[in-house]
């Protein structure tokens, strides 16, 4: 059994308008997605801005209410607050945020920030608590004297590591990482990514890794889903997605990533143009009549695509 | 007699303020006379005396709104006005004869029906007049008319020579000696133009333009322009029956009290009534001359001694009230240093009044009664002797040895009244009386009045002031049945004296004066009501004004302007 | 847009009704009634009592309220007990005075406030700026009536530049003469009100200009080679005026309710004084009607602010 | 060096210093750089390395009360450093166009798109209103906006991020300036839109033969679009050369470290390469020594120059400091 | 483990982050603010000490022999009022009472505003909707008239009832301000982080969010103090102020309404008006410096 199973999750936001300010429509931020995260794995969630990635992540940690669908943790539906309490779900599932500065309360010392979940979930004596914070800081490679400083006294990478220390403080099983490195410079990004992998190995943590950077996801995740308009267009392993993309949207996304090989840039560019043209031409085939992403069809045991008829693996690229 | 509560103005002092102008220069024809009138809010503008509820509207319409009868300087009704009055004691009638020359400002003559109509306005319930009083109901048939039992007629008011004749006869149930005086309240002293108003229903009268915007009068001036609430322009009434008016124009302008002293000192107006405290600053101004006159009002300190039984229309005294003990009342009287307050706060314009009949009433005022002189040791002795013992905290207990707190009901005023109240408070404290403000602080006038009239029990002592009408009978204010006897004292002696004052016998003036004097002495001895201050009525007039007098007999027709 | 306005107006109705209940019952809680302050010995308490009964003042409060509100729906605001005339005509007379004065004052407020705010913002940190800010805060600190009284004594009495009392001269004649006289009477109070009202505008505008001048779009304009003067007038100023526009509705209602002081000092017959007089004389019909009018004007002012905002700021959409 | 006739901009010994407290600190130190017609010059570097400061110095938008600029920025024999405002205003928009990072903030929220683009033309051309509008519509089409007539009348908030960035570009190219400066033009955008915008920039350049300074911290963007690259670190250019040279033979330790820390680089190790330490802030970057030395502590001090200068290692390829000669990665040394 | 060896914290000057400390540090560089604080402190000190030293009877007892004395006469530095009381003493205690009222009202409205504003802003949804409608409604009430009605209704009117009455119409502005600040804070991820850390809502509201808007609260508080002193003054002018035995700047300035006093005895009201001016200016200057301090911290 997977650590967590997402079943037909939907999150709709009402749009109010008209004379009586009634709900006239909904934003389908997340509209029926399914995926499982295994213990100790990093699951990638990729998509453009507004595709519903963050909403999904927030629903999993319980910051957003699901409109419908289930989130099964240890087989129980944690969209019900009662189950969450029973399973100590909030302790087992934590989150790392994109904006490290805004995710750390500027008025609190690092120690209090990191100790926050500990205080809420395990009631340690002050001395033990300090010790634990020290350990955590050590784990994320920060000096002990950082404890008594404030968030703004650290660089972006350091702050992100503090966020990670907070997230791992209760020995969680799953961490939702919402674009944890998007705001960081290359070298800092490297630090943080390395670091996330390290603690994963050490504590057998699962990640839901949300990003729009395909390179980063490729580096981090074995399994991933491509998301657009609140739905998945393609789900598969790293190889499935990067080597054998089936959906035109995935292809377009992949082709748009700039490569660091100047020599081949003319080829890359013409390839991109070709995919773009194809996208414009054929996108109606890949979407429902109202522009809705089609249901996923399995094309291989690990690979599903939102297309009408499954094409044999490797048929299109 | 009667009056209205007003916080300003009144007196009887021997000061040297002139009552009339002395200007002897030649009159300028067609001059404009600027009349300023202090008022905190715009005037209401109900120019029918039967319907208006405040003095303001009468004051600003005095140039045209002349009463029916002429008075002498003692307020006695005399012949020579728009109508003459003849009382017949035995027939119990008053016969009013209209001067045939009197015409309304639209040229129509003043006729008998105009006089009758004023009574109808008052007595008709639809017009909602507040002037329908017990005293007027002494007229035969008025009650029946009010109750709709006599149709369109008031049986006691007849016009022997017809509606358009010049005679009106009023029949009374009872004759009163005060009827000789203006302001007695037993009959009405104004007329309304029936020909002009007859088309307006009684219930629409008060809001009609004919009463508010274009009223007509038979006095020396008539309205030519008006800005609602702010100003009125008067021009001579060419139909005036008396001497020809001297002024070309009178402009009346309402002015905020904030500005009044400055305006007065600058001579912005030819006539501006001012408060007593402004006198000191204005008296030396070259731009104006200050005229003054003893006023018909006085302030007092009194006590809550019982309640008014509305069902029986009578006041009932209650022995258990704190101030049922005369010694306590007298102690309060002797503790107030009214003379010093008058001298310090109203120099030249205010003084201590000695009796409940102000000196302005001349022979009805008993000069032999001397005001309570400030004497703390006397006050203390009175209290000691009566058994109010001083406790360790310096305050006296009641006669049973219980803590005694005196609740004083007073209205909000200005910094002067605060000073006065505080001065008294300190004196009370010195003689060991623990006096506090009822409800914690001075209250606004509506609250004050509400407490007095509603039989509230949460005050022991209160101060106030009465502005008397020109007929001095104290019955309306102090008789057992008077609703305005807020003190609620009722004694046989008081009732007897008041009855005597208004009795048939009192048609004999010297008897009446004697009864007045006895009553004043009695009230002084019993100290139910302690008269305190009286201040003068003051007016700042410009040096150009001629023939202006504050005397009751003066007429606006005489007033003129010079260079 | 029209739909939204209509909806906003419909939403106002329950608010105003609630307002009327509160005001009516609170007013009734005050000790005394319209007659208690008027009783003089020239009147007979029995007659007063019968008048009370006649006017329904003895009825249960709810009955009185519903009678009043019922009449209100027939356009009848009742009779003023104090003035003995229909409240509607009374208010109409006073309201026109106050509204004209306020309008005049608003215009002056902006004419004075905007340039001062602009100068302070543009020359931030200079002596000019400190001077203007000092002015703004001083004006805020001086109680308005003191300000009015002193100005009246100086300009009305010492210099005699302006009339000191009333809203129009008695001898004003003809259409033009009348209007000129009205204006002449308004000048001093309106200028004074305007001076008092500029504080908010100056402070908002100043900080708006300072904030806007470091915005990115200003940098873009500079990069386009737009002259500094144009950048200021066209880009910075327009954006800084937004909060001021939002302020406009409030300024008007603020002036109307603040008119009380100017009205009592200048004997200018207006609504503010009328309202306080109605309180002190327990003139219920006038009091409640005025409160409703004030409430309505405030709501209208808010609506006006929103409409102005949606006109000047394309980001605020009123569909 | 390129031929002078091709040269648009010649930056010599440029120092830009900001006031912090009472002192001035160089955020850009001794930068020498040229820009030629028909080329895209990329400036890369981590946050705080002085890229924007450099660009802002060229277009003269620094607040001169808090900034001190010395050195020369020569444009057609005209030195832009210290140029008076009136003259500078003639150059801004007309000769130098600038594209900013955040397209929403860069547009005036109260002005219609058409007016904002037209404003540039208003101050630099003699076109009348009608001609200007016509040109604006043409520009909107040129930057690939689908419905120019409608967009002309719209307000910035009514457009998507990609559209806004196109509008910002249209503003910058309205007067066909020979020099375009694009400061992180795609950082706020999604990859697909980023690709479109970069294509658009290239197209524009091909049409107008302008020189573009492209500022970014995304090495992929550089590799795909730039002709020449300048790598900045702590206010200095540490390496400069053609895009091939930089990506295929990077020399400076910083350039090499950056490239190695990219996740895309197919290195076998599961871990990404991490540069030790952090970028110094303004006050702490002021040193005469090799500013990168602190971050490669295993390289002996002797490997660095005392006062590092730029060395031309091959024609057009410059490297600062001599440490590149002996540089090796930490793990390589151990290996 | 290839631990990242970057241990040196970036040397951004260590800004003390608690609202109050930031403010103090920023204020040190603001000459205007220092002057303002010194002035306010002096006034506070004088009035508080004065309040203890000056016997109550000096403020209450009338001495009409000594009334309306000009400044300097009979040793009354600022003269005497119409009851013959020493203006200086009256002024000192009056200022204390006015400040007391201003501060008390500010405390009450601020507490109410904080509780309601934070709750509404934090929970949002229907609660917020309802609260905001109530706030809107209170905004529509003609405050001055309502205050007058209430002043008339309450039986034993004194400083405490005045404070409560003014407060009941003063909390809306703060509520709105706090709510919108909380709304923008709620968007910040630290709130989400606290939620995922299992922190209860009330703790997040008052332990996490509130400290982050503390400078706003301080500023609003300071400005509210100045504003409320003004309200009390206006009420006194209209005759609905405090009883005469409770001196306040308002009751003193209201003397200016007495036509005989405004020009002839300016010492009765002018010192109070000037003190109010100085006090308001200083409090405002201080409040603005606070705001600047808060802003500058936000910028870094
Ligand atoms: N509270 C909300 N109310 C209404 N719509 C919302 C709300 N939150 C998110 N949305 C909408 O839901 C959609 C998905 O948003 P989400 O933040 O999950 O996207 P995302 O993939 O994380 O995008 P990004 O990369 O920009 O973070 C967007 O269209 C967004 O506008
Ligand atoms: N106005 C200023 N006042 C003081 N210091 C400044 C100012 N602008 C920039 N700096 C400092 O100058 C240095 C360079 O900043 P700059 O913005 O040029 O970097 P950048 O390379 O553009 O970074 P980013 O990638 O974050 O945009 C930084 O340390 C920055 O903090
Ligand atoms: Mg997101
Ligand atoms: Mg930058």
């Amino acid at each position: 059994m997977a650590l967590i199973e997402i079943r037909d999750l939907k999150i709709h936001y009402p749009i109010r308008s008209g004379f009586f300010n009634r709900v006239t429509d909904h934003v389908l931020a997340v509209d029926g997605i399914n995926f499982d995260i295994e213990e100790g794995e990093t699951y990638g969630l990729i998509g453009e801005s507004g595709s519903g990635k963050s909403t999904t992540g927030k629903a999993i940690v319980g910051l957003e209410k699901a409109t419908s669908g289930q989130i099964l943790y240890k087989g129980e539906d944690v969209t019900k607050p009662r189950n969450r309490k029973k399973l100590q779900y909030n302790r087992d599932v934590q989150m790392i945020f994109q904006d490290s500065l805004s995710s750390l309360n500027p008025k609190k010392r690092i120690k209090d920030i990191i100790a926050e979940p500990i205080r809420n979930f395990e009631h340690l004596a002050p001395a033990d608590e300090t010790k634990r914070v020290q350990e955590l800081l050590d784990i994320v490679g920060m000096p002990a004297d950082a404890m008594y400083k404030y968030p703004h006294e650290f660089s972006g990478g350091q702050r992100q590591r503090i966020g990670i220390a907070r997230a791992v403080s209760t020995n969680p099983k799953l961490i939702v990482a919402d674009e944890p490195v998007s705001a960081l410079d290359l070298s800092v990004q490297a630090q943080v990514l390395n670091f996330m992998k390290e603690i994963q190995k050490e504590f057998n943590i699962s990640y839901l890794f949300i990003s729009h950077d395909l390179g980063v996801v490729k580096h981090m995740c074995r399994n991933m889903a491509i998301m657009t308009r609140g739905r998945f267009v393609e789900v598969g392993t790293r190889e499935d997605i990067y080597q054998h993309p089936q959906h035109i949207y995935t292809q377009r996304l992949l082709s748009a990533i700039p490569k660091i090989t100047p020599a081949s840039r003319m080829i890359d560019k013409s390839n991109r143009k070709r995919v773009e043209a194809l996208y414009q031409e054929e996108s109606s085939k890949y979407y429902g009549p109202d522009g809705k992403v089609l249901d996923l069809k399995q094309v291989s045991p690990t690979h599903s695509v939102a297309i009408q008829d499954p094409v044999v693996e490797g048929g299109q690229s | 007699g009667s009056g209205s509560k007003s916080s300003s103005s009144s007196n009887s002092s021997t000061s040297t303020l002139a009552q009339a102008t002395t200007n002897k220069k030649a009159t300028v024809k067609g001059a404009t006379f600027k009349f300023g009138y202090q008022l905190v809010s715009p005037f209401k503008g109900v120019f029918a005396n039967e319907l208006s509820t405040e003095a303001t509207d009468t004051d600003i319409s005095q140039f045209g709104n002349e009463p029916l009868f002429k008075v002498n300087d003692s307020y006695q009704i005399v012949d020579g006005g728009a109508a003459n009055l003849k009382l017949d004691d035995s027939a119990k009638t008053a016969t009013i004869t209209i001067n045939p020359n009197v015409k309304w400002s639209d040229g129509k003559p003043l006729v008998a029906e105009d006089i009758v109509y004023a009574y109808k306005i008052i007595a008709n319930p639809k017009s909602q007049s507040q002037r329908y009083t017990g005293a007027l109901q002494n007229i035969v048939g008025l009650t029946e008319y009010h109750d709709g039992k006599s149709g369109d007629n008031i049986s006691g008011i007849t016009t022997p020579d017809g509606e358009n004749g010049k005679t009106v006869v009023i029949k009374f149930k009872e004759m009163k000696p005060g009827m000789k005086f203006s302001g007695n309240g037993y009959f009405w002293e104004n007329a309304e133009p029936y020909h002009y108003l007859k088309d307006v229903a009684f219930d629409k009268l008060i809001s009609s333009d004919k009463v508010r915007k274009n009223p007509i009068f038979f006095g020396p001036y008539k309205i030519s322009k008006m800005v609602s609430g702010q100003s009125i322009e008067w021009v001579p009434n060419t139909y005036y029956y008396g001497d020809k008016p001297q002024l070309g124009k009178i402009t009346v302008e309402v002015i905020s009290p904030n500005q009044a002293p400055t305006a007065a000192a600058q001579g912005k107006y030819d006539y501006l009534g001012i408060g007593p405290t402004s006198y000191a600053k204005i008296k030396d101004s070259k731009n104006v001359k200050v005229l003054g006159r003893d006023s018909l009002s006085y302030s007092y300190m009194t006590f809550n001694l019982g309640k008014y039984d509305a069902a029986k229309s009578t006041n009932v005294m209650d022995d258990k009230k704190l101030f049922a003990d005369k010694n306590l009342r007298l102690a309060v009287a002797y503790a107030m240093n009214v003379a010093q307050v008058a001298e310090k706060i109203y120099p030249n314009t205010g003084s201590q009044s000695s009796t409940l009949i102000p000196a302005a009433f001349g022979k009805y005022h008993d000069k032999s009664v001397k005001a309570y002189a400030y004497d703390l040791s006397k006050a203390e002795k009175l209290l000691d002797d009566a058994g109010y013992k001083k406790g360790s905290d310096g305050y006296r207990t009641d006669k049973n040895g219980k803590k005694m707190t005196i609740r004083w009901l007073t209205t909000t005023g200005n910094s002067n009244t605060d000073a006065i109240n505080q001065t008294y408070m300190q004196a009370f404290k010195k003689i060991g009386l623990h006096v506090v403000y009822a409800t914690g602080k001075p209250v606004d006038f509506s609250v004050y009045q509400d407490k007095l009239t509603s039989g509230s029990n949460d005050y022991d002592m209160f101060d106030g002031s009465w502005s008397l009408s020109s007929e001095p009978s104290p019955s309306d204010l102090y008789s057992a049945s008077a609703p305005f006897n807020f003190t609620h004292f009722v004694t046989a002696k008081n009732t007897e004296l008041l009855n005597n004052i208004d009795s048939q016998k009192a048609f004999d003036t010297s008897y009446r004066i004697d009864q007045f004097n006895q009553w004043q002495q009695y009230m002084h001895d019993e100290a139910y009501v302690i008269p305190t201050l009286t201040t003068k009525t003051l007016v700042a007039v410009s040096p150009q004004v001629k023939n202006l007098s504050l005397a009751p007999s003066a007429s606006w027709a005489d007033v003129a302007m010079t260079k | 847009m029209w739909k939204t306005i209509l909806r906003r107006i419909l939403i106002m109705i329950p608010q105003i009704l609630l307002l009327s209940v509160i005001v009516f019952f609170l007013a009734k809680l005050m000790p005394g009634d319209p007659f208690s302050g008027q009783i003089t010995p020239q009147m007979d308490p029995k007659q007063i009592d019968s008048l009370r009964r006649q006017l329904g003042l003895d009825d249960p409060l709810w009955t009185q309220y519903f009678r009043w509100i019922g009449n209100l729906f027939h356009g009848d605001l009742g009779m003023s007990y104090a003035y003995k005339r229909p409240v509607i005509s009374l208010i109409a007379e006073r309201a026109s005075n106050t509204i004209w004065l306020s309008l005049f004052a608003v215009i002056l407020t902006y004419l004075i406030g905007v340039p001062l705010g602009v100068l302070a913002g543009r020359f931030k940190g200079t002596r000019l700026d400190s001077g203007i800010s000092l002015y703004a805060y001083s004006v805020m600190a001086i109680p308005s009536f003191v300000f009015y009284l002193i100005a009246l004594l100086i300009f009305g009495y010492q210099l005699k530049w302006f009339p000191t009392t009333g809203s129009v001269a008695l001898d004003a004649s003809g259409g033009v003469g009348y209007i000129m006289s009205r204006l002449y009477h308004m000048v001093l109070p309106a200028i004074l009100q305007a001076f008092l009202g500029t504080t908010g505008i100056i402070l908002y505008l100043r900080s708006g200009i300072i904030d806007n001048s470091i915005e990115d779009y200003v940098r873009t304009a500079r990069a386009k080679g737009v002259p500094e003067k144009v950048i200021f007038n066209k880009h910075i100023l327009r954006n800084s005026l937004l909060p001021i526009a939002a302020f406009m509705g409030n300024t008007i209602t603020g002036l109307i309710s603040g008119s009380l002081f100017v009205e009592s000092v200048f004997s200018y017959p207006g609504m503010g004084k009328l309202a306080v007089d109605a309180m002190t004389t327990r003139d219920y019909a006038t009091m409640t009607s005025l409160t409703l009018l004030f409430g309505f004007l405030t709501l209208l002012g808010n609506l006006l602010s929103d409409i102005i905002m949606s006109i000047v700021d394309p980001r605020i959409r009123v569909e | 060096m390129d031929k002078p006739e091709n040269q648009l901009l010649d930056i010599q010994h440029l120092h830009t210093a900001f006031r912090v407290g009472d002192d001035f600190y160089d955020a850009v130190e001794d930068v020498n750089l040229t820009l030629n017609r028909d080329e895209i010059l990329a400036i890369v570097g981590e946050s705080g390395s002085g890229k924007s400061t450099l660009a802002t110095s060229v277009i003269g938008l620094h607040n001169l009360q808090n900034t001190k600029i010395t050195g020369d920025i020569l444009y057609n024999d005209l030195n832009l450093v210290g140029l008076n405002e009136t003259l500078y205003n003639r150059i801004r928009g007309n000769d130098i166009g600038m594209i900013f990072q955040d397209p929403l903030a860069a547009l005036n929220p109260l002005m219609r798109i058409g007016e904002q683009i037209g404003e540039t033309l208003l101050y630099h051309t003699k076109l009348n209103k009608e001609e200007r509008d016509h040109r604006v519509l043409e520009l909107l089409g040129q930057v690939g906006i689908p419905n120019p007539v409608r967009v002309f009348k719209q307000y910035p908030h009514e457009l998507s991020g990609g559209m806004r960035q196109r509008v910002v570009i249209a503003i910058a190219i309205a007067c066909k300036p020979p020099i375009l400066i694009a400061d992180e033009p795609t950082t706020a955008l999604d990859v697909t839109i980023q690709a479109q915008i970069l294509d658009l920039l290239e197209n524009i350049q091909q049409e107008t033969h302008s020189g573009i300074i492209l500022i970014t911290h995304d090495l992929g963007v550089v590799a795909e679009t730039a002709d020449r690259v300048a790598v900045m670190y702590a206010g200095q250019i540490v390496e400069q050369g053609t895009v091939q040279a930089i990506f295929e033979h990077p020399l400076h330790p910083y350039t090499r470290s950056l490239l190695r820390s990219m996740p895309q680089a197919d290195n076998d190790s599961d871990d990404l390469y991490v540069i030790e330490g952090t970028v110094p802030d303004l006050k702490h970057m002021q040193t005469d020594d090799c500013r990168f030395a602190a971050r490669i502590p295993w390289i002996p001090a002797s490997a660095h120059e005392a006062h590092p200068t730029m060395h031309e290692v091959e024609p057009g390829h410059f490297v600062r400091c001599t440490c590149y000669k002996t540089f090796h990665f930490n793990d390589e040394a151990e290996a | 483990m290839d631990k990242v060896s970057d241990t040196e914290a970036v040397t951004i000057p260590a800004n003390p982050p608690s609202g109050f400390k930031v403010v103090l540090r920023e204020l040190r560089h603001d000459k205007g603010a220092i002057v303002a604080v010194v002035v306010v402190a002096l006034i506070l000190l004088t009035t508080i000490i004065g309040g203890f030293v000056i016997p109550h009877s000096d403020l209450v007892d009338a001495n009409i022999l000594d009334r309306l004395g000009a400044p300097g006469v009979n040793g009354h530095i600022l003269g005497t009022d119409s009851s013959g009381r020493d203006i200086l003493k009256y002024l000192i205690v009056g200022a204390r009472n006015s400040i007391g009222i201003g501060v008390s009202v500010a405390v009450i409205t601020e507490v109410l505003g904080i509780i309601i504003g934070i709750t509404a802003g934090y929970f949002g949804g229907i609660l917020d909707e309802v609260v905001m409608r109530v706030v809107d409604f209170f905004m529509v009430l003609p405050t001055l008239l309502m205050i007058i009605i209430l002043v008339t209704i309450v039986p034993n009117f004194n400083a405490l009832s005045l404070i409560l009455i003014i407060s009941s119409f003063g909390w809306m502005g703060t509520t709105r301000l706090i709510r919108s600040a909380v709304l923008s804070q709620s968007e910040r991820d630290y709130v989400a982080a606290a939620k995922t850390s299992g922190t209860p809502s009330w703790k997040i509201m008052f332990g996490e969010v509130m400290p982050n808007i503390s400078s706003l609260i301080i500023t609003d508080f300071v400005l509210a103090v100045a504003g409320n002193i003004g309200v009390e003054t206006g009420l006194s002018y209209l005759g609905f102020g405090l009883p005469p035995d409770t001196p306040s700047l308002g009751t003193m300035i209201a003397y200016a309404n007495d036509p005989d006093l405004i020009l002839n005895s300016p010492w009765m009201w002018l010192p109070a008006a000037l003190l109010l001016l100085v006090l308001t200016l200083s409090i405002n200057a201080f409040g603005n410096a606070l705001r600047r301090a808060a802003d500058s911290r936000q910028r870094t």
Side-chain angles (χ1 to χ4, degrees), chain E residues 249-263:
Chain E
L249 294 182
T251 45
M252 295 183 79
I253 295 171
Y255 287 142
N257 194 34
D258 187 323
D260 293 324
L261 298 179
I262 183 162
L263 287 183

Side-chain angles (χ1 to χ4, degrees), chain D residues 119-135:
Chain D
E119 205 178 24
T120 322
L121 299 167
L122 178 66
Y123 296 104
H124 298 298
T125 65
K126 295 200 171 66
L127 303 178
N128 61 28
K129 174 90 177 70
E130 212 170 301
E131 291 163 335
R132 280 204 307 271
D133 289 354
H134 184 77
R135 170 89 180 113

Side-chain angles (χ1 to χ4, degrees), chain A residues 48-55 58 98 178-179 210 212:
Chain A
E48 282 182 291
S49 181
S51 54
K53 310 180 297 286
S54 299
T55 310
K58 282 182 184 162
Q98 168 172 6
D178 189 358
E179 316 222 18
I210 299 174
H212 61 257

Side-chain angles (χ1 to χ4, degrees), chain A residues 17-21, chain C residues 3 6-7 10 319:
Chain A
S17 65
F19 193 78
F20 294 105
N21 219 8
Chain C
K3 262 191 185 171
L6 187 67
R7 186 175 81 214
L10 287 182
E319 357 95 57

Side-chain angles (χ1 to χ4, degrees), chain C residues 78-122:
Chain C
M79 283 287 277
S80 157
Y81 303 110
Y83 283 81
K84 315 283 184 211
R85 58 190 279 206
V87 171
I88 189 108
S89 80
L90 179 63
I91 291 185
E93 183 185 300
R94 302 291 189 85
S96 87
N97 283 336
T98 301
I99 288 172
W100 282 116
L101 176 62
S102 299
L103 216 61
F104 194 18
V106 168
I107 294 170
L108 286 175
T109 306
Y110 282 83
L111 284 180
I112 299 168
V114 169
L116 288 182
V118 167
L119 286 176
R122 186 155 185 195

